Amino acid sequence: MRIGEKLVKKGLSLLLCGVLLSGVWSESVYAFGSAAKTVSTASTAQRSKIKNSTAAEDLIPGIIKNVTPSVVGIIGKDDSGGNSGPDDRYNLTHGSGIIVKSNGWIVTNAHVIKDLQNAVVVTSDSKTYSIKETYLDEVSDLALIKINATSLKPAKFIPSTGKTVVGEKVVAIGTPISFSLRNSATVGVISGLNREVAAAYRLIQSDTAINPGNSGGPLVNMKGEVLGINSLKYSAVGVENMGFSIPADTVQYIMNQLFKYGEVKHPSLGLELEASWSSIVGLPTFDPLTVTKVVSPEAVKAGVAEDDVLYSIDGHRVVSLVDINELFKSYSPGMTVRLVMQSEGDIIIRKVVLTQGDPLLSEEGSGTDGDEHTEE
């Protein structure tokens, strides 16, 4: 606390010095007369900035009102831990979801629905529905569920040509902590993009308050477009406002596969790969990945061997497992890819037929626990 107090006092001191200097400069400007326009121009710019900020703030209630009908709460019995005794009826868990089709299709997180028994969906108008169909993809942590409903309001996702930038204001809507807190909204900004954190695909980082139960709910921009699905957060002493969302393009990719096949046909190199130390700790690097195991007959046939290193796939440089997973969103099992590799000191080209299998996961990525990911 003392260190924090010193920092606060230091900050205040700097602020006061700034005010004082501004005052002295203003007097000098007015004394000379001709430079008064400088102060006037600065004041006009400041007023304009405040006006624009206020206008952005005014958008938020309308956005929340418009998006909330597309958000649902999901609750059921948690069947992952077994019977808990006489009070087992209170062994419930809940999350959130986003309506994607007017006829009852909803997208949520896989970890929300995976072990849920006798689950029900509650819409924003307090109507209750049982779940009729469920499709999961645990690797991406996404799921599709179906309720018997009509005339629902689907959420609007950001178009593929849309852009998300660090610093833009966002709103999270969901069911945090208690199911009685459905349709809660929090506001924040995008803190970072393309985060490789405890997931197979890249995530959006925001400082929007996300709590257990928000999982599956939307993160929306100031146009009311869904940027992503809230999925997890870091929760530890000294860690604040670090939530992560699955981007809209990944959500669309997984949904399209689930609608078409009832599963996600993830393409696979048929290899187990290990990223370099630099890549794992987050340093900028072009270090290649190392083959630790050859799994598929197709990879064996192509001549790939343990301890070979992988530089690129079809001309795309890859330095992490997430790089490969992201690239393979545009590939399908059965396609042939061109690998630039190094084997026994020689740079060689291998052509490998992709098989179907789970995307590559690091040890950290395979251990995520959904809403709360604790870093000690």
Side-chain angles (χ1 to χ4, degrees):
M1 289 298 293
R2 291 179 180 176
I3 294 175
E5 289 171 359
K6 289 179 180 178
L7 289 173
V8 171
K9 289 178 180 177
K10 184 177 179 182
L12 288 173
S13 298
L14 290 171
L15 180 60
L16 290 172
C17 288
V19 172
L20 180 60
L21 289 171
S22 296
V24 171
W25 174 244
S26 296
E27 291 176 1
S28 301
V29 170
Y30 282 112
F32 286 100
S34 61
K37 293 180 180 178
T38 304
V39 175
S40 178
T41 302
S43 299
T44 301
Q46 187 175 14
R47 285 196 298 270
S48 178
K49 185 177 180 181
I50 293 172
K51 184 178 179 180
N52 291 337
S53 176
T54 303
E57 292 287 350
D58 291 341
L59 291 173
I60 293 173
I63 290 168
I64 295 170
K65 182 179 180 181
N66 186 54
V67 176
T68 292
S70 303
V71 183
V72 302
I74 304 168
I75 190 169
K77 181 181 175 182
D78 184 357
D79 197 43
S80 61
N83 193 302
S84 60
D87 291 330
D88 188 53
R89 65 188 184 280
Y90 296 114
N91 184 23
L92 302 174
T93 187
H94 71 272
S96 307
I98 306 171
I99 297 168
V100 293
K101 288 184 180 293
S102 61
N103 62 349
W105 284 104
I106 295 164
V107 65
T108 184
N109 284 134
H111 76 260
V112 167
I113 205 74
K114 179 184 175 183
D115 296 309
L116 222 53
Q117 301 295 319
N118 301 318
V120 296
V121 172
V122 180
T123 53
S124 62
D125 56 1
S126 299
K127 293 182 180 178
T128 302
Y129 302 88
S130 59
I131 297 174
K132 301 302 181 183
E133 297 180 56
T134 301
Y135 301 94
L136 297 176
D137 182 59
E138 292 187 62
V139 172
S140 64
D141 193 25
L142 290 170
L144 273 176
I145 58 176
K146 177 72 166 63
I147 60 175
N148 285 341
T150 58
S151 303
L152 298 178
K153 182 180 181 181
K156 179 182 179 182
F157 282 75
I158 187 171
S160 57
T161 55
K163 291 187 177 181
T164 302
V165 297
V166 174
E168 77 172 280
K169 189 165 288 186
V170 288
V171 179
I173 304 175
T175 311
I177 307 299
S178 168
F179 203 67
S180 63
L181 301 179
R182 295 187 304 281
N183 307 321
S184 292
T186 54
V187 180
V189 298
I190 298 295
S191 304
L193 300 170
N194 300 318
R195 299 305 199 200
E196 297 185 11
V197 178
Y201 300 98
R202 296 192 182 107
L203 302 176
I204 298 171
Q205 178 189 346
S206 79
D207 71 348
T208 311
I210 297 173
N211 294 289
N214 272 113
S215 284
L219 186 73
V220 301
N221 61 16
M222 291 297 100
K223 296 179 180 179
E225 299 167 331
V226 176
L227 300 179
I229 290 183
N230 301 318
S231 181
L232 59 91
K233 64 179 247 185
Y234 276 108
S235 178
V237 175
V239 177
E240 297 180 358
N241 301 334
M242 291 190 69
F244 297 89
S245 308
I246 302 170
D249 68 312
T250 300
V251 177
Q252 296 281 11
Y253 163 67
I254 298 297
M255 282 200 307
N256 290 341
Q257 293 266 321
L258 291 176
F259 276 128
K260 187 173 183 178
Y261 304 113
E263 63 175 339
V264 180
K265 295 187 176 183
H266 296 285
S268 171
L269 285 171
L271 304 173
E272 290 184 7
L273 297 165
E274 183 179 78
S276 69
W277 175 84
S278 297
S279 176
I280 291 171
V281 301
L283 289 171
T285 182
F286 289 108
D287 291 345
L289 297 107
T290 302
V291 177
T292 57
K293 187 177 181 179
V294 182
V295 178
S296 73
E298 289 84 354
V300 173
K301 184 179 179 180
V304 182
E306 288 186 19
D307 298 324
D308 286 355
V309 295
L310 173 64
Y311 288 96
S312 69
I313 303 173
D314 283 348
H316 300 276
R317 193 69 179 261
V318 290
V319 299
S320 71
L321 305 180
V322 173
D323 282 347
I324 297 175
N325 297 337
E326 288 286 342
L327 177 64
F328 280 179
K329 286 179 185 177
S330 57
Y331 286 74
S332 302
M335 295 177 67
T336 300
V337 292
R338 182 175 180 271
L339 311 182
V340 175
M341 308 188 75
Q342 182 176 339
S343 181
E344 297 182 349
D346 297 323
I347 299 297
I348 56 176
I349 306 297
R350 303 284 194 202
K351 292 186 177 181
V352 177
V353 177
L354 298 177
T355 59
Q356 182 175 336
D358 287 339
L360 295 159
L361 292 172
S362 65
E363 290 184 5
E364 179 187 5
S366 60
T368 179
D369 58 357
D371 285 290
E372 294 186 322
H373 184 80
T374 303
E375 292 255 306
E376 296 293 337

